[in-house]
Each structure stands twice: as structure tokens, then as C-alpha cells.
Amino acid sequence: MIPSPAPQTQPRDFASYFPPTSGYLSACTGGLPPLETVRAGHAFYDDWSKGALDARAIGAAAERVRGLYAGLAGVPASRVALGSQVSQLVSVVATGVPDGGEVLCPTGDFASLTHPFEQLAARGVTVRYAPAASLAEAITPATSLVAFSLVQSATGEVADHAAIVEGAAAVGAQTCVDLTQSLGWLPVGAADFDYTVCHAYKWLCSPRGTAFLTVREGLDDTLTPLAAGWCSADDVWSSCYAGNTPLSAGTGRFDLSPLWPLIAGTEEALKLFASLDARAVHDHAVALANSARQVLGLPAGNSAIVTWPDPEGADLATMQAAGLVASGRAGNARVSFHLWNTPDDVELLARALGR
């Protein structure tokens, strides 16, 4: 667990950080931008249109983003790489799986996490699946890596990560954890895992296209920087051309060139999360989710994501017709609750479904 930061002065409700909205129940699909992120995006395009972009300043902002994410994930900045897609970063982790090894994943986990490992068959690597709820028990001495989402996209199920880490350590296996559906509402970071990946556009409310990889100290040299480029060095401006292309001493060797239009907005979003009490954010989101579960006749849970069977999509269609933004995954209807949501959103859900 990441210890909650010292409580900060906060508004009466978290929604004041965001443009006014109502009935948006889909952080698990894509977060909403904080007001400061919107302003930063406009400022970027204003500067670009005037020919006033400063590449070095954008690079400095990217380093601040690295530091902010490191703080949220509970690891040193030297352990963080910046990318743009989870699957690309998982592909780097996949280079460290030994020939003939086994990767264990939850049944039905998100493809961006599992798909890169399935491409290793030519090296004799197998991917085995087990239910998320019993993943720790499914680990065997043949397991090289356990790769799982901390929170399952299709169901909202929260993994028993402590038991999985213990089970992996007992057989000498490593762990790779996708924090995309958790970091931002669930105060569990990267320090307990060998590798983590996270895209910031969901619960961290950043523009889509900024993702992060963390690598435990001592494991950088076991991975291959498949997409190494000019930003893979510690001094990027002296490493632009062939003949002097050193790798960063740390996890920055796996960096991709940052997507310039997104950096300032991502920085503002991560600054917001760094200023908040992580436990208060968690309690706010889960309390609203449990209010929705009560409306739906479901037992209380520990996730900010609420799902229920909707194989024909009837409930999803009803919610959408009522103006709610929700989603459907794997035969389930899916809603979620985050900083901008209030009890009014639960009431809108109840009215839409006639509960």
C-alpha cells in the first residue's frame, strides 16, 4: 500500500476540479480531464499556432510527469519509463521471459496485457490462464511470470495482490501488474511488484497517449529496450544521432519520445492527484459504487467499478437512452464512479433503470 499523503485542503466535493458534468459513469473507459488539464491543452495549441513551442521545456515537463507518477506509484523516478501504450511497454517486459518459460494470467484479462506474451510461442513460452480469484493458488514451480491487472476491466474484481506476490516469490517467479484500472482510486502502487504498467487516461484523468512502466531495481538489464530511440538516454540532446546513443542508467532506457500535445495536460492531472488524500479518493469512489450496488440489488463490494449481467445489452441501452454514459463488457453492463461523481449520479442511475 502507498501511505496516504498528509491531508490537503480540499473543496467540499471533488467535482469542483472538473468541468460540470452529469451522468458520466465511465471512468473505467476514459477519465474526464480536470479543469487545469483542459487549460493546458488549449495553451499548447495556442503556442503551437504561434510558433512558440519550446522542445526543451516540453522535455522538462516530461521529467516532471515522470516524478509525479513516481510519487503516485510509490517508487523512485529512476524506476519509471514513459511510453504511449500499455501493450508496447508489456512487450518490453516480455523480452525478459526465459525461453520455455510460463506466463500465468487471469482468465479474461485485458488483451493489452496478455497479447504480447502470447507472441512468444516461437521461444517455447506458454501462457496459462486461471480465474483471477484463484490466481495465487494456480502458481506452480513452472511459472516464470505472473501477469495480471490489479483490477479487472470486465468485472471490476480487485486482485488479492498480496497473496499473488507471496505465491510468486515462493517459486522464484516475477510479477507484472497492470495498474490502468486501479491507480487513481485504489491506493496500491508499484513498489510490491517487479514490473508494472499503467495508462493514465482512465483513473488518472490524463489525455490518452501517456503510459508508464516501472521496473524493480536490478532488473533493467534483463529486458531489451525494443523501441530505443533518442529519448532512451539520460541526456537526450546529446544522443540524437548514431555514434553516440547510450542507454539511460535507469528505467528511462525504455522511454519513448513523449507525445508533445499531451505532456502539459498530463502534468496538471497528475499534480491534482498528488495533492489529494489517496484514501479519501478511494473512499469517495467506493462509497458511490456501493450506493449503486444497493440500487441494483447487488452486495457491497470493494471496487469503484460495478458490473452486472446484461447479455443482451438491454440495461446498457436503457442507461444510454436516459443520457447516462456507461459501457458494456464481456456480457456485463458496467458503470464506475470517480472524483466528478456525486450521489446525484446514483439517483440518475436508479431513475434510468426504474429501481
Side-chain angles (χ1 to χ4, degrees):
M1 287 283 192
I2 303 175
S4 296
Q8 306 290 319
T9 301
Q10 296 185 7
R12 289 175 63 89
D13 75 72
F14 294 121
S16 65
Y17 289 117
F18 296 83
T21 189
S22 178
Y24 188 83
L25 307 179
S26 206
C28 52
T29 300
L32 295 178
L35 289 164
E36 293 303 319
T37 292
V38 175
R39 294 187 183 108
H42 290 163
F44 173 86
Y45 284 101
D46 287 344
D47 286 346
W48 183 21
S49 68
K50 295 182 291 189
L53 291 184
D54 182 337
R56 290 180 181 270
I58 294 171
E63 289 306 312
R64 294 193 296 272
V65 164
R66 190 194 312 273
L68 286 163
Y69 183 81
L72 292 169
V75 297
S78 63
R79 297 291 91 220
V80 176
L82 278 65
S84 58
Q85 302 294 335
V86 161
S87 57
Q88 185 275 329
L89 298 173
V90 175
S91 295
V92 171
V93 176
T95 67
V97 178
D99 290 355
E102 176 188 271
V103 180
L104 176 65
C105 300
T107 304
D109 211 326
F110 201 76
S112 293
L113 177 66
T114 63
H115 210 354
F117 298 116
E118 292 171 345
Q119 310 313 308
L120 303 178
R123 294 206 282 111
V125 174
T126 59
V127 181
R128 181 166 59 90
Y129 292 92
S134 56
L135 200 64
E137 292 82 358
I139 298 169
T140 74
T143 306
S144 304
L145 178 74
V146 187
F148 63 99
S149 293
L150 188 56
V151 174
Q152 289 295 304
S153 170
T155 64
E157 180 180 355
V158 180
D160 184 353
H161 66 280
I164 296 170
V165 168
E166 182 180 359
V171 300
Q174 296 179 337
T175 52
C176 176
V177 181
D178 189 345
L179 304 177
T180 300
Q181 289 288 8
S182 59
L183 195 60
W185 74 266
L186 182 63
V188 175
D192 291 338
F193 312 116
D194 295 299
Y195 315 103
T196 71
V197 292
C198 180
H199 203 304
Y201 79 102
K202 293 182 185 284
W203 299 90
L204 291 173
C205 301
S206 299
R208 194 178 196 282
T210 303
F212 301 93
L213 166 71
T214 70
V215 179
R216 190 186 296 278
E217 183 79 39
L219 294 180
D220 292 328
D221 289 340
T222 69
L223 307 180
T224 301
L226 294 174
W230 71 294
C231 287
S232 304
D234 287 320
D235 181 4
V236 300
W237 293 105
S238 67
S239 308
C240 298
Y241 302 106
N244 183 39
T245 51
L247 290 173
S248 168
T251 301
R253 67 182 63 185
F254 307 114
D255 277 8
L256 300 182
S257 180
L259 301 181
W260 286 7
L262 313 181
I263 290 299
T266 300
E267 181 180 7
E268 292 300 332
L270 298 190
K271 281 167 61 177
L272 170 59
F273 281 92
S275 76
L276 300 177
D277 181 336
R279 179 54 56 181
V281 174
H282 167 273
D283 292 349
H284 169 83
V286 174
L288 288 174
N290 278 332
S291 293
R293 289 186 178 95
Q294 185 174 16
V295 164
L296 294 162
L298 301 173
N302 62 350
S303 180
I305 301 173
V306 181
T307 65
W308 65 98
D310 187 32
E312 304 300 325
D315 282 352
L316 177 59
T318 298
M319 289 187 287
Q320 291 173 336
L324 300 181
V325 181
S327 55
R329 295 290 187 275
N332 295 321
R334 186 178 70 160
V335 297
S336 56
F337 297 86
H338 204 14
L339 293 173
W340 54 81
N341 293 118
T342 72
D344 289 343
D345 292 309
V346 179
E347 179 61 26
L348 290 173
L349 176 66
R351 290 178 189 171
L353 295 176
R355 306 295 172 91

